[in-house]
Amino acid sequence: MRTLEKITTLSLHNWLTVEKFVRLLPRCTMSSGDQQQLRPLIKPTFTEKQAAELVRRIFGLEVSQLKSLPSYDDQNFHLSAAASFPEKGESTGDFVLKIINAEDSKNTDLIEVQTQIMMFLNSEGFPVAMPHLTQDGKVMFLETVDAGSSTQTFAVRLLSYLPGKTVATLPVTPPILFEIGQMAAQLDKVLAEKFQHPLIKSLHRGEFIWNLTNVPFLKKYIYALRKSKHLNAVVQVIEQFQINIIPKLSTFRPCINHGDFNDHNILVDLVSTSPNPEYRISGILDFSDMSYGYYVFEVAITIMYMMIESQEPLLVGGHVLAGFESVVPLTPEERAALFLLVCGRYAQSLVIAAHTTLLHPENEEYLMITAKTGWKHLMMLVEMGQETVEQIWFQTAESYRK
């Protein structure tokens, strides 16, 4: 596999190539599926009072406390609510109210199977939230609101609240990185071996922009980067991805991916303070990016996100890989693809964040979380090249076997 060329300075020739690349983007000749990807998502805008009323009316719970949580596309609230149960009196619990954007709410089959997967994983012992059923026994409710000249429908779910700190708030250590890689592999493996559902076909999301298969789709979005060395790096990643990954997808082992095993979606609890703090995973959040993919996709996505907050980002890949391979060893073909897949995920996260910021400038701070260090990491990977980075990752992973 060819390595990415080192990027030092951008020549005039490179800039002309990039500008031609941007001008030729098929922004007006896309299929209906692609148009759906580019349309701004209609994010729900419920007030706290309206959210509390939803909980009372749909789920039969009286809210005592409620606060808004950050979200990429949807609207989330952390709340405390009480319910009356026959012979048990009143019971209070913490929940997360999730109101899904109008575009994604159209695919109720997908939301249903994602929720069923959460319930299945919980039954298998994974630390995953459980849905609180509506008053008529369903896992979600479709709420239609008047938007003036039209109406909008939003899927509403109420999930149990999982306590703990996100990995993003803590120094990541080799033991927790190993456990995260291990957990990602265990999750994919149990779904591949045991999960069945009539709606499982809805996880074949061919046009889903966050599926790693669709890195080439970024060509439609990179105008958001304008002229920069970042744009040049992303163009190179896309080109190498098309040459070295897409033709080899059939050699990778398929499975269902969580697809967003990032440092904000993994919760941990403190289990020991002596001699150094030790943590264990206490929660896995946000299953909205689930889709059919490959085992190697999951580990690549996990490596990328764990690098974001690490003080030693280059070493992260080896620890995560060691944990993953303790459950699902990668094949030689999958290992050879890992570097470009990590670069591809960086490109996805950074380009889509830049594009979405243009659509929702009011959410720029949240949308650009990854960009704080993401561009620095992507440029570092591209400049070092595949062979050097792989040597670090694979040697670190190998040290766990000694």
Side-chain angles (χ1 to χ4, degrees), residues 101-355:
N101 68 78
E103 192 65 45
D104 290 343
S105 291
K106 295 175 182 178
N107 195 343
T108 55
D109 284 356
L110 179 61
I111 300 170
E112 174 76 25
V113 78
Q114 288 169 343
T115 309
Q116 293 296 330
I117 283 176
M118 294 170 65
M119 297 168 69
F120 166 79
L121 290 172
N122 184 281
S123 71
E124 290 287 321
F126 288 84
V128 174
M130 286 287 286
H132 184 92
L133 300 183
T134 65
Q135 294 196 76
D136 57 355
K138 295 183 171 60
V139 298
M140 66 177 161
F141 179 84
L142 296 178
E143 176 74 0
T144 300
V145 299
D146 188 350
S149 59
S150 63
T151 59
Q152 299 293 342
T153 299
F154 302 99
V156 180
R157 291 181 298 171
L158 189 66
L159 304 177
S160 57
Y161 177 77
L162 298 177
K165 295 183 177 181
T166 64
V167 171
T169 64
L170 302 167
V172 289
T173 61
I176 194 64
L177 290 171
F178 182 93
E179 186 184 357
I180 288 169
Q182 188 176 57
M183 181 73 75
Q186 289 170 339
L187 188 150
D188 284 10
K189 190 170 187 287
V190 75
L191 288 176
E193 294 177 350
K194 294 185 178 182
F195 182 75
Q196 295 181 338
H197 193 274
L199 299 177
I200 198 169
K201 64 181 182 299
S202 63
L203 292 173
H204 288 287
R205 305 169 69 181
E207 302 290 342
F208 183 47
I209 189 61
W210 287 104
N211 190 302
L212 260 177
T213 303
N214 294 328
V215 165
F217 281 15
L218 296 178
K219 289 183 289 187
K220 306 181 186 79
Y221 299 86
I222 60 173
Y223 70 89
L225 301 180
R226 299 182 173 88
K227 295 181 181 180
S228 68
K229 61 181 180 180
H230 296 154
L231 175 59
N232 186 273
V234 169
V235 169
Q236 289 194 48
V237 170
I238 294 172
E239 289 176 346
Q240 293 297 314
F241 200 96
Q242 289 177 307
I243 294 169
N244 295 306
I245 299 296
I246 298 301
K248 297 178 181 177
L249 290 175
S250 62
T251 68
F252 303 157
R253 291 165 299 165
C255 66
I256 297 172
N257 292 146
H258 175 278
D260 199 11
F261 233 68
N262 72 55
D263 48 335
H264 291 268
N265 284 340
I266 302 172
L267 302 176
V268 294
D269 273 342
L270 183 66
V271 294
S272 174
T273 58
S274 178
N276 297 308
E278 293 183 17
Y279 296 89
R280 68 179 176 191
I281 296 176
S282 62
I284 304 170
L285 308 177
D286 196 353
F287 287 75
S288 61
D289 283 0
M290 293 202 85
S291 66
Y292 270 105
Y294 304 91
Y295 283 109
V296 69
F297 281 13
E298 195 80 273
V299 67
I301 291 167
T302 306
I303 288 172
M304 175 265 168
Y305 283 120
M306 292 306 109
M307 288 177 65
I308 292 296
E309 301 295 339
S310 174
Q311 297 299 312
E312 298 179 301
L314 275 177
L315 298 181
V316 164
H319 299 301
V320 173
L321 179 61
F324 196 92
E325 290 197 312
S326 71
V327 179
V328 180
L330 297 186
T331 66
E333 294 82 5
E334 290 165 342
R335 273 194 159 211
L338 190 57
F339 172 80
L340 263 179
L341 290 171
V342 172
C343 290
R345 185 56 167 197
Y346 266 113
Q348 283 182 314
S349 184
L350 294 164
V351 171
I352 295 171
H355 169 75

